[in-house]
Structures are given as structure tokens and as C-alpha cells.
Amino acid sequence: MRERLIAAAIVVVAIATAVVLGEMRRGSTEGARCGPGFVANGTRCTPPAGFTVPDTRVLIPAASIAVGPSDWEAQGQVDTRVIRVDAFRIDAFEVTRGAMDPHATDPFRAASGVPRDEAAAFCASRGGRLPTEDEWIVAADSAMNPPRRYPWGDTGAVCRRAAWGLESGPCASAADGPDTVGAHPDGASPLGLQDMAGNVAEWVSDEPRPGVGVAKGGSWRSPLAAELRVWARLEVPPDAHDARVGLRCAYPP
């Protein structure tokens, strides 16, 4: 009897372990990476026929948000402070290759490798500008107070919510650039902003010190979910043609 009970217990543990591992793998399978209508094709999410990227600008209300390491689990990377921003609008989607170059191949893929001045000039041509870092944080967090770790909430940094870990895992391997914009709607913010985490890190106008620019949101190359958190930043030279970095524009309210 005792042996049978032990054997039964082992079976139960094995089944439970298999279920847990299955759930973990399901978050990183190609089928789970892409939103409804998109088809996984290697490291990419191919859009459905007739797909277009809406030119939608989302109103971000004026906000005052207290941030700090205890709220954001920032491990000493965020100083306690209050962010205050006036109302503004921001692109619901990252700027695509096709928007920057009508003759671009793969036009719905996020633009990347764009230096900051070129990104700022593109936004100016659309009547906009690059957002400040504080504006970007408030937009990504949808002005929630207290703020959250990711645009969608505090937990659940899985492959279906963002294009990340596509170069060396955990979501894929050997990717050569960002994904189709809008291919991960499960990761949208409450205000409907897509790809604020992953795909391309997005230029902001801040320059914390000479020769250093800031991009926000993590990218397709980010191997760690911590790089997707709203407080995280990627510091790169402003003139860099960095394949991880793209853009999204801000506008008057």
C-alpha cells in the first residue's frame, strides 16, 4: 500500500510538472507569439492580407505620478521623484519602415537603426516631436498611479505580449531585426498603445549627459524581461545606427 501511494504521488507530481512546463513553453512557441490574424514565420509575425497600420494618435492626459525603486522594483536604477506632464498625443504604433521610405521592402516592420536627429526630423515633418522620457513613461503606463512594471500590468512578460528575446531567446533565435508593428496586441497599454515594450526601443528627447541618448521600452534583442519594464532605459550615442532603436512621435494635445 505504501509503495502504491508513493508511486501515485510521483505520478501526480510528474503530471503537475508537465503542465507547468507546458505553460512555460506555450508562452514562447511561435504560434503563441503572434496576435490574431498574424502568422508566425520563423522569427517574424506575418500580417494578414489587407493589413495596414492606422495613423492613430492617442491622447495622454496631464498626469502627476510618483515613481521610485520600491514601486518599480528598479533595483536602485530609479530615483524617487514625481513625474508631471501636460496633456499630449502620441502615436499608437511605432513608426514603420514604409512610413519613413515609401519604397521600403517589408513596409510594416518597425523602422530601426535610425539616429536620433533623423528620428526627430521625421517627427517634425509630421507636425510632432520626440517625446520626453517622462512623457514616454506616462504614456506607456497610461497615467496609472501607482505605476506598473509593464504597459499591460505588473506581471506576464510572455512572448505573445511583446517582440523580445528574438535573437538569442527566450522567444526565438537568430532574428535579424524587429517584427511587424502591432503584431502583439495582448501587450497593448490600457489606452491602446502598441509595442511600448519590445520590438524597437524608442528614442526620447532627453540627453542625460553629453554624447548619450536615451531609448525606452526594450527591443527585439532584449534577452531579459527586466529590459521591457517601463522604467528601463537604453543609453546609446545619439548618432548611432543601432538596430535595436526606432521611434514613435508625440504631438500637441
Side-chain angles (χ1 to χ4, degrees):
M1 175 65 75
R2 181 171 180 273
E3 288 77 10
R4 287 198 296 271
L5 290 174
I6 291 174
I10 291 173
V11 171
V12 170
V13 170
I15 292 172
T17 301
V19 170
V20 170
L21 290 175
E23 290 296 318
M24 292 172 65
R25 293 191 187 102
R26 191 173 65 185
S28 60
T29 59
E30 289 189 353
R33 284 193 296 102
C34 306
F38 291 84
V39 177
N41 182 11
T43 63
R44 298 288 310 286
C45 293
T46 302
F51 177 76
T52 59
V53 179
D55 185 12
T56 303
R57 301 173 184 181
V58 176
L59 176 64
I60 308 299
S64 177
I65 297 176
V67 300
S70 61
D71 297 328
W72 294 55
E73 297 187 358
Q75 303 175 356
Q77 300 183 53
V78 176
D79 295 329
T80 300
R81 63 193 180 98
V82 176
I83 291 176
R84 293 185 177 89
V85 301
D86 294 329
F88 66 100
R89 292 185 184 274
I90 193 167
D91 289 329
F93 296 86
E94 292 170 330
V95 174
T96 64
R97 290 182 176 182
M100 298 199 75
D101 179 4
H103 304 292
T105 58
D106 210 348
F108 302 130
R109 199 174 194 177
S112 63
V114 183
R116 191 180 64 184
D117 285 351
E118 186 177 332
F122 175 81
C123 289
S125 73
R126 291 167 52 88
R129 55 178 174 78
L130 293 178
T132 67
E133 184 171 12
D134 285 356
E135 287 175 332
W136 192 98
I137 290 171
V138 170
D141 196 58
S142 294
M144 301 292 285
N145 203 355
R148 300 170 302 170
R149 296 183 187 94
Y150 306 102
W152 56 81
D154 284 330
T155 60
V158 293
C159 300
R160 73 175 185 275
R161 284 194 168 128
W164 66 289
L166 299 181
E167 182 182 55
S168 57
C171 296
S173 61
D176 63 355
D179 206 345
T180 307
V181 301
H184 299 83
D186 281 358
S189 75
L191 292 179
L193 300 181
Q194 305 271 338
D195 296 312
M196 291 297 279
N199 214 23
V200 288
E202 300 165 11
W203 282 119
V204 295
S205 59
D206 302 60
E207 188 168 285
R209 54 188 182 277
V212 176
V214 175
K216 300 285 294 181
S219 77
W220 58 277
R221 291 180 63 183
S222 297
L224 302 174
E227 295 181 17
L228 307 182
R229 292 186 179 180
V230 175
W231 52 263
R233 57 161 50 171
L234 174 65
E235 295 187 352
V236 292
D239 59 352
H241 292 263
D242 193 310
R244 297 171 295 176
V245 181
L247 66 148
R248 169 187 324 250
C249 305
Y251 310 88

